[in-house]
Amino acid sequence: MRAPLRSPPGPRADGHHQVLFVLAECVPFAIALLVLLVEFTPLHILYTGPLLVATPALAAVTMGPKGTLAAAGVAVGVSVTTASYNGAWGTQQVYTNFLALFLVSVASFMTSRSARTRTENELNQVRRIATAAQEVVLRPVPDRLGSVQAASMYLAAETGARIGGDLYDVVQTRYGVRMIVGDVRGKGLPAVRAAAIVLGAFREAVHYEDDLVEVVDRCEAALLRDAAVSGAGGAEAVLEGFVTALVAQIPEGPHIEVINRGHPPPLLLRDGTVRSLLPTAPLPPLGLKEFLSGPSVRTDSFPFAPGDRLLLYTDGVIEARDRDKTFFDLAEAMVTMRDHTREAFLKGLHQALLRHTENRLADDAAVVLVDRYRDEEPPSAEGPT
């Protein structure tokens, strides 16, 4: 099962754009202040009515309905104050200004509310599409698979996002339980596309290839083939979109077979001790085999006995930093929550990551948790939702 996908709260806007946005919001109130300065100084001979009329119209562009009402209220207050100070009540100019301000304020409010409703409808449509895409690219991990139970969690760094460049899947096959966890270099739609291509190749190959090496080769071939078809081939394009990946297989015996293509090694928890399952030789990420020399791809085997817990993850977890630039200690978190159920572990890990980063993940984070049944214990129906 997969834990609920939630993006960390908090603004993710670029700092430069954020400053510009704040400045734009201040413009209507700056105009009102300018009118006050003009009217309360010898410059009051200038005609400031059109400036105040423009205040709610400008607020409607950046501040929404409530901001528009606030700007209109400020404009009315300034008009009343300056008219009283200059003794202009009873003149046609004052009433004309108030009428124009009222009409522009009403029109600006209605326009702002209509724009807000339209934007919300568009965002809801985008969310529905993203949810559908999520179920295709990152489908739920089955709770029970042969001799293991599994769960997964995905945290998108971008606020409101549901999928990104991280990928994972767990599949029950005639060769055993096969898993993949990967991370596409880059972000945005190209990263989502690459993740979907690798997952599609994996989901097909795991059922037909008896050799785990062939499964990995099929994933890499699909990635390179798409780059060639899309016209983005070549070393430079590959370097822009390679994929670190870890493919594993859990057969019936008490061990696990792993092929690590430049990905963070999985962590194995046994009797309160965490061990990194390091590869015997480093291998390049998917897409770089033809450009980087290295040993031939081979499968590493590690013990995976009943009662053991295995954690596969992407670098968004271990590279999460606090304000002092200290990395998140995933191994320590595994030990601390060693007695937690899968659901409680994923929830606790989610909370620990957000606390460590102060709700600001810098990169997407994906986690797959696998527990092997104890010999004396039947499979539990409990699992995360």
Side-chain angles (χ1 to χ4, degrees), residues 42-319:
L43 294 174
H44 71 274
I45 57 174
L46 298 176
Y47 184 50
T48 60
L51 293 177
L52 286 176
V53 171
T55 299
L58 292 173
V61 176
T62 59
M63 301 179 63
K66 292 183 179 180
T68 302
L69 287 178
V74 170
V76 170
V78 171
S79 293
V80 171
T81 301
T82 57
S84 301
Y85 177 77
N86 295 317
W89 287 107
T91 64
Q92 182 178 0
Q93 177 181 329
V94 169
Y95 295 128
T96 301
N97 287 344
F98 273 106
L99 178 60
L101 182 58
F102 172 76
L103 293 176
V104 172
S105 296
V106 171
S108 299
F109 174 78
M110 298 301 295
T111 301
S112 177
R113 189 171 66 173
S114 176
R116 174 64 60 87
T117 301
R118 184 170 60 253
T119 300
E120 289 178 352
N121 291 337
E122 291 174 353
L123 288 176
N124 289 334
Q125 178 67 12
V126 170
R127 291 189 184 100
R128 288 192 292 268
I129 295 173
T131 299
Q134 174 196 18
E135 294 301 326
V136 174
V137 178
L138 298 178
R139 60 192 184 189
V141 170
D143 181 34
R144 300 184 184 184
L145 304 105
S147 61
V148 301
Q149 287 183 296
S152 63
M153 177 179 70
Y154 190 99
L155 296 175
E158 192 69 27
T159 301
R162 291 179 177 269
I163 55 177
D166 287 6
L167 59 100
Y168 63 83
D169 203 0
V170 181
V171 183
Q172 175 73 62
T173 73
R174 55 181 171 173
Y175 309 108
V177 177
R178 288 178 163 179
M179 304 174 289
I180 184 172
V181 172
D183 186 1
V184 182
R185 185 185 186 276
K187 297 182 181 297
L189 291 179
V192 175
R193 176 188 176 95
I197 291 169
V198 172
L199 282 174
F202 171 81
R203 289 165 180 167
E204 179 181 6
V206 290
H207 293 289
Y208 299 102
E209 301 292 348
D210 57 353
D211 190 346
L212 200 61
V213 175
E214 292 297 326
V215 173
V216 176
D217 289 344
R218 290 271 294 272
C219 293
E220 184 167 41
L223 190 65
L224 295 174
R225 183 168 57 250
D226 178 76
V229 171
S230 62
E236 182 178 350
V238 173
L239 290 173
E240 288 293 327
F242 64 82
V243 180
T244 67
L246 187 139
V247 180
Q249 176 175 291
I250 305 175
E252 290 301 323
H255 65 281
I256 181 172
E257 299 168 358
V258 178
I259 296 178
N260 192 331
R261 296 294 298 271
H263 199 75
L267 299 179
L268 181 69
L269 175 65
R270 174 182 297 164
D271 299 328
T273 301
V274 175
R275 171 193 175 193
S276 293
L277 304 185
L278 298 172
T280 56
L283 296 172
L286 300 180
L288 299 184
K289 183 179 177 182
E290 298 180 0
F291 304 95
L292 297 177
S293 60
S296 58
V297 178
R298 53 166 295 180
T299 302
D300 294 315
S301 182
F302 304 93
F304 187 42
D308 289 351
R309 168 167 285 180
L310 183 71
L311 189 66
L312 287 69
Y313 55 92
T314 59
D315 58 10
V317 179
I318 57 174
E319 292 182 359

